[in-house]
Amino acid sequence: MKREHWGSRIGLILAMAGNAVGLGNFLRFPTQAAQNGGGIFMIPYMISMIVIAIPLMWIEWGIGRYGGVRGHGTTPAIFKLFWNHPLAKYLGVLGLFIPFVVVAYYVYIESWTLGYAWMSISGMLPDQAQLAGLAGDARLKPFKEVLAGYTGMNGEAIYKPSLMAYGFFAFTMLLNIWILIKGISGGIEKLAKVAMPALFVMAIVLMVRVITLETPQGTAIEGLNFLWAPDWSQFLNPKVWLAAAGQVFFTLSLGFGAIITYASYLNKNDDLVLSGLSAASLNELAEVVLGGSIAIPAAAAFFGVVAAQEIASSGAFNLAFVSLPAIFSSIPLGSFFGFVWFLLLFFAGLTSSVAITQPVVSFFEDEFKLSRTLSVMATMALLLPISHVAIFLGNALDEMDFWAGTFFLVVLALIEVVMFLWIFGMKKAWEEMNRGGIITIPAFFRPIMQYVTPAFLSIILVWWCMDILPNVLKNSEWTHWIAREVLIGIFATFAFLAFLAEKRRKRG
């Protein structure tokens, strides 16, 4: 069965950008910047972009294209091409485990944005008349109650989401399935060509509206000053540098396996150097320029700079689903702008969710020779039960997000560097990445890739093991234990499937 390919270079770039541009660009980035010294955060951010993100992006593109030419789009089989050892395929299982677990809860959160878009445009959220006379936390309280009622996340061991929340989740899941069944060029690429331009238009509309906000509590310009004014006292704070390194890592969706799978649908001599930079540049435009100009400045205008900093510290969910709806409820055409905000988040989430589902779909296609439709349905048959763990089990989403969405991302990225540059060999890897390039990778990136990038990844991993991991493991509630057992079962399942896939290849 012949593997698919991208229909056009612009479609590839937009799809890769869509993979990277997600909820984190508009929520996680401004929160991280606000919590870590404002403008000073951008210095380690840009340094980390050069020494971690861009090198690793080219590495993943190179790994993917190399594997795709040989009929493989996922890391269990590709790692075996680099290192003919039984352990290679099991290390590669992380490239299936991570995106599978992340998409299991990501689609649910993605569906919230669609549900809230509907509630915004249909007038179901609290309006100005209901909020009259309320200020500060009192003004936010009704929106916190709406979020708790919608998701059922009220601190209990078992969540009870509303029927509306479950209905929008089912619709969002079906939409993802439909796009994936349509294939690489017929589904994912067409989605990217529509969703990415629409996303940028909506983000620009919101940015223009937000920066003109002015209230007795403050202005959006003050919020921008707060977000970008450097706090030089934080320059040598190692936590700021680690936060910046983590953000650039997440913002390009590195370590998820999705870039590798997307790149596997390139032809042997397709450019990856300039294409990769173009996709990364679109992501950075969405994150730094647009993402940094909406949520925090809006919060500063309506609640003041001090309150905006507290809101940023309260987490992305409160910023997206509590603070911003409260702000939009107070301005003319607020329901429209709220609708645009949540539709923007939905498009960002949708382009990312199909990307991180694709590695498992590709695994079934490439290694078990299933049809596209059967591969998608097999993936969803595994995915739906796990999604319900995140929907109904208290603390499961946090547990899944830490292990699959944080910790193992860096582990897999470090393994990728070692596999491609050290075991496969720097000379062959460098030739692979530059083959067919419209431009070549600057020579100074060669030692950065081989030495600096793995060193930085190792530092991040060691820091997390010392500073964060012990606190995570202290969570001993039964819900955390069940979530961890589920994660172990998922990894074991994919390890078994990788074992069966290799047996199948050996039988020819």
Side-chain angles (χ1 to χ4, degrees), residues 34 223 226 295-301 303-314 319:
F226 153 69
I296 300 299
F303 302 105
V305 170
V306 174
Q309 189 170 14
E310 294 175 356
I311 289 169
S313 301
S314 69
L319 188 63

Side-chain angles (χ1 to χ4, degrees), residues 120-121 127-129 139 205-206 208-210 212-215 302 324-340:
S120 295
I121 201 66
D127 58 23
Q128 182 63 34
R139 191 176 188 86
V205 168
L206 283 170
V208 171
R209 183 64 187 94
V210 165
T212 60
L213 289 174
E214 186 172 353
T215 73
F302 270 83
L324 267 295
I327 290 166
F328 292 133
S329 71
S330 303
I331 64 175
L333 299 176
S335 60
F336 168 75
F337 286 109
F339 172 75
V340 173

Side-chain angles (χ1 to χ4, degrees), residues 415-434:
I415 293 171
E416 289 170 355
V417 174
V418 173
M419 283 283 183
F420 195 45
L421 303 186
W422 289 92
I423 297 178
F424 182 61
M426 186 67 209
K427 182 179 179 180
K428 290 188 288 185
W430 188 256
E431 291 173 353
E432 175 64 33
M433 288 183 288
N434 281 290

Side-chain angles (χ1 to χ4, degrees), residues 402 407 411 459-471:
F402 173 75
F407 185 78
V411 174
I459 290 170
I460 295 172
L461 196 58
V462 170
W463 180 275
W464 284 351
C465 286
M466 295 173 59
D467 188 57
I468 300 176
L469 189 58
N471 293 326

Side-chain angles (χ1 to χ4, degrees), residues 370-394:
L370 299 182
S371 68
R372 179 75 185 184
T373 299
L374 282 177
S375 296
V376 173
M377 299 313 294
T379 301
M380 293 304 169
L382 294 173
L383 188 65
L384 275 173
I386 306 303
S387 294
H388 284 76
V389 173
I391 292 172
F392 292 106
L393 183 65

Side-chain angles (χ1 to χ4, degrees), residues 53 73 80 198 205-206 217 222 248 252 304 338 389 399 408 426 467:
K80 199 72 190 297
V205 168
L206 283 170
Q217 290 75 35
E222 290 174 346
V248 299
L252 289 178
V389 173
E399 197 74 34
F408 280 120
M426 186 67 209
D467 188 57

